Amino acid sequence: MACVFCRIAGGEIPAEVIAREDGATAFLDVTPLADGHVLVIPNVHVGRVEDLEPDTAAALFRAVHRIVGPIRAAVGAEGTTIGINDGAATGQTVPHVHVHVVPRRTGDGAGSVHSIFPHGTRQELASVARAIRSQLERA
Ligand code: AMP
Ligand code: ZN
């Protein structure tokens, strides 16, 4: 059976869809973190960001770019936290790529992306950068 987000993209199960675009669908999260909490998904089933085809990745971010302003205006928010849980280790519960678009207000009690990580890391920047550049050369 197709995953829940595939079924929403295909119109097989109900959702508060706000936009259906070429390659991407945006709908309200059923357990919103704030009014106007929207999920934007690729219309094809892909579990991880790195496995998206480039055109699909572009369509996904094009949809985010198009809807973020209207969402903020609709709920009278001042800002937006935009995030992806990518992989089970991050808390991703639905294994179909989805971008959380969460309207924010000053003093709403939620933190920044930095607040997710309580400890940070002390690894030397240069060696981490070298390792990533080396992987990029192979990709
Ligand atoms: P994540 O933890 O990043 O995988 O987030 C999955 C999100 O999907 C959660 O915020 C859920 O509330 C949301 N969700 C799960 N099922 C549905 C559904 N049928 N319609 C809308 N949102 C859903
Ligand atoms: Zn799916």
Side-chain angles (χ1 to χ4, degrees):
M1 189 198 291
C3 92
V4 62
F5 287 177
C6 282
R7 295 170 74 201
I8 288 173
E12 293 165 33
I13 60 171
E16 288 294 342
V17 173
I18 62 164
R20 284 191 196 281
E21 314 223 329
D22 266 0
T25 299
F27 54 96
L28 292 184
D29 193 304
V30 76
T31 50
L33 298 172
D35 288 341
H37 179 178
V38 166
L39 300 175
V40 188
I41 61 170
N43 291 336
V44 292
H45 183 85
V46 179
R48 298 290 293 260
V49 167
E50 55 266 49
D51 296 327
L52 290 167
E53 291 297 329
D55 284 352
T56 309
L60 187 62
F61 199 74
R62 203 164 32 242
V64 172
H65 174 259
R66 194 168 92 78
I67 65 175
V68 67
I71 292 170
R72 199 152 55 78
V75 298
E78 298 166 65
T80 317
T81 292
I82 298 169
I84 300 175
N85 291 323
D86 189 36
T90 70
Q92 182 181 5
T93 58
V94 179
H96 180 136
V97 172
H98 48 285
V99 182
H100 291 265
V101 179
V102 188
R104 299 290 305 274
R105 286 189 178 75
T106 306
D108 62 12
S112 75
V113 169
H114 294 73
S115 66
I116 301 171
F117 301 89
H119 304 307
T121 174
R122 292 180 183 280
Q123 197 171 352
E124 190 210 356
L125 294 187
S127 68
V128 177
R130 215 168 23 248
I132 297 171
R133 282 194 292 265
S134 155
Q135 290 295 327
L136 272 171
E137 281 162 16
R138 291 183 218 172

